[in-house]
Amino acid sequence: MTESSEWLIYRGAGEPHDGMSRLPPPPPWRDFSGRDAAADGGDGSRDRRLGTHRHLAELHRPGAEELEMINAALYLRRPLLVTGSPGAGKSTLAHSVAYELGLGHVLRWSIVSRSALQDGLYHYDAIARLQDVQIAAQGGYGAAAGSPGAVEAIGSYIRLGPLGTALLPSDTPRVLLIDELDKSDIDLPNDLLNVLEEGEFEIPELQRIADRLPDGEAEVLTADGTKVRVRDGRVRCRAFPFVVLTSNGERDFPAPLMRRCIHLELDRPDHNRLATFVRAHLGDEAARAGDDLIGHFLERSRSELLAADQLLNAIYLTDAAAPPSRDRLADQLIQRLDRPR
C-alpha cells in the first residue's frame, strides 16, 4: 500500500483484511454508543448532535444583538424566530439557553414537509386501542376497570408531542426547538398561531369522556417518556415555554406569525465563531490544526452557500486520518450547496 493510501480503511482490492481495527472513534456528533445517556437524561442524542450542554455554554459567546433578542423573548414570553444560513448556530442557541438557565433538556420538533400541528401536540393511537379492546373482549385481557378496554386506560394510547409537552403546566418554562420551520407546508405556520398565542390546547378524545374519568383526569405519556395527568382533556401552560423557531430562509412567513415572534437574524459566522464551533465539538488541538481550513471556508463562503457542518467534517477527517491529500479531500467535503444541478 502506498503512502498516500495508508489512511484508507476500505481499499477496493476485493480481498478481506482487518482494516476495521484501525478505524478511529467516530466524531462526537455521530457517536451512537450511548455513553452519555445517563448524564444526558435520555438516550445521549443531544450530546451526539451538539456536544455537551456545558461545553456549548462555556464556548458559545453570542453577540450583543443576539443577547438582546434572546432576552426580549424571555421577558415578553414570545417565540424567538431565528433565521440564518445553515450552520450559523440557530439550534445551538436553544441548547445554550437551556443549559445556562437550568431549564432542562431541549424538546425538539424537527419539521418536514408533512408535519402538521397535530404531530407537535399529541398522537392518539386509536388502532392500538381498538385492537386491545378486541383482544380483551375475547378473553385475552382481564375485565378489570384498569384493563386496556376500560375508559380509564385511554391515556395509555395518547402521547404528547414536543409542543404539547412544552405546554404542560410547570413553574419554569421548558425550552422547545421547532427546527427548520421553512420546510413545512404552507399551512403549519398559520396553524401554530393560536397555540403559541393562547398557550393551551385540547385533547378531544379525553374531553368526550372526562365525566367518566376519575376526577376528570387521564394519565398520558409525554415526549420525554414520562407520565403526567391531564384534567378535562385540556393542557395549559403556567410558564410559557421558551420557543425557538429556526429557518434557513428558504421561504417567507405570514405576517401574523412574524407579529407574534421576536425575530433574530444571525449573520454568517466569523473566524472566531467558527473556531469556537470547532472547539466545542473537537477540542482546542483540532481547532488549531484546522485554522487554515477555517480561513479557506470563510473565503469561499463569501460567494458560495456552505454549511458549518461541512467544515466540521473536513477538520475531523483530515485531523483523524491525516491523509497526504488533505487539502483536496477538504475541498471535496466542503462542496457548495447552491451549485447548479
Side-chain angles (χ1 to χ4, degrees):
M1 187 165 53
T2 65
E3 179 183 356
S4 62
S5 61
E6 286 182 354
W7 73 284
L8 299 176
I9 301 298
Y10 168 69
R11 304 171 189 171
E15 297 179 0
H17 57 84
D18 62 351
M20 282 300 294
S21 63
R22 297 188 292 108
L23 190 67
W29 57 94
R30 297 299 296 171
D31 185 356
F32 297 89
S33 64
R35 288 178 308 212
D36 297 318
D40 190 40
D43 60 3
S45 61
R46 285 173 294 280
D47 284 347
R48 181 175 69 240
R49 282 196 306 269
L50 295 165
T52 64
H53 290 328
R54 179 178 181 181
H55 204 183
L56 278 173
E58 289 173 346
L59 293 177
H60 183 63
R61 292 294 181 267
E65 180 182 351
E66 186 177 339
L67 279 174
E68 290 171 353
M69 293 298 98
I70 292 171
N71 282 279
L74 287 167
Y75 272 88
L76 297 172
R77 276 70 170 180
R78 288 289 186 182
L80 181 68
L81 174 61
V82 186
T83 56
S85 59
K90 300 185 295 295
S91 301
T92 301
L93 183 154
H95 290 266
S96 182
V97 171
Y99 176 80
E100 184 170 319
L101 299 182
L103 300 178
H105 77 261
V106 174
L107 294 161
R108 184 186 185 112
W109 183 15
S110 297
I111 302 299
V112 297
S113 60
R114 301 178 303 279
S115 296
L117 178 62
Q118 182 78 16
D119 301 320
L121 293 177
Y122 75 97
H123 173 68
Y124 172 54
D125 195 342
I127 294 177
R129 189 179 186 216
L130 177 61
Q131 290 173 338
D132 285 346
V133 168
Q134 291 173 339
I135 292 173
Q138 296 168 5
Y141 294 120
S147 70
V151 90
E152 294 90 339
I154 188 173
S156 301
Y157 305 95
I158 294 176
R159 182 171 187 138
L160 300 181
L163 176 56
T165 301
L167 291 173
L168 286 169
S170 61
D171 294 330
T172 56
R174 294 296 303 268
V175 176
L176 170 66
L177 174 63
I178 303 179
D179 207 16
E180 298 189 327
L181 183 61
D182 50 339
K183 287 185 176 179
S184 72
D185 70 15
I186 194 170
D187 294 322
L188 182 57
N190 283 318
D191 292 342
L192 283 168
L193 293 178
N194 187 61
V195 175
L196 294 179
E197 187 67 20
E198 302 299 331
E200 66 178 4
F201 68 98
E202 299 172 348
I203 303 177
E205 292 83 357
L206 295 182
Q207 287 187 321
R208 286 195 294 267
I209 60 170
D211 59 341
R212 289 181 280 163
L213 294 171
D215 299 322
E217 293 185 342
E219 191 175 66
V220 303
L221 282 170
T222 71
D224 295 319
T226 60
K227 293 183 177 181
V228 297
R229 301 196 71 81
V230 174
R231 178 185 288 272
D232 297 327
R234 181 182 297 272
V235 175
R236 180 177 177 83
C237 67
R238 283 202 299 265
F240 189 79
F242 180 66
V243 181
V244 177
L245 306 103
T246 73
S247 168
N248 292 327
E250 296 180 4
R251 61 182 281 197
D252 294 328
F253 295 115
L257 178 68
M258 299 297 294
R259 179 169 64 84
R260 288 167 171 81
C261 295
I262 304 299
H263 183 203
L264 170 63
E265 173 74 27
L266 290 183
D267 295 329
R268 288 187 177 276
D270 57 15
H271 194 288
N272 183 61
R273 189 160 188 164
L274 282 174
T276 298
F277 179 70
V278 173
R279 283 198 299 273
H281 290 80
L282 298 175
D284 293 337
E285 185 175 343
R288 285 192 295 270
D291 190 72
D292 61 326
L293 293 181
I294 294 175
H296 183 55
F297 178 89
L298 280 172
E299 181 66 28
R300 287 183 54 187
S301 67
R302 294 190 178 98
S303 58
E304 304 173 18
L305 179 61
L306 304 174
D309 307 61
Q310 297 171 296
L311 172 65
L312 209 59
N313 288 335
I315 291 179
Y316 170 81
L317 186 57
T318 56
D319 178 64
S325 54
R326 175 179 182 270
D327 293 340
R328 179 172 58 82
L329 181 60
D331 279 336
Q332 290 175 327
L333 291 172
I334 306 175
Q335 296 190 22
R336 63 185 303 166
L337 303 176
D338 57 345
R339 67 184 188 275
R341 297 294 180 184

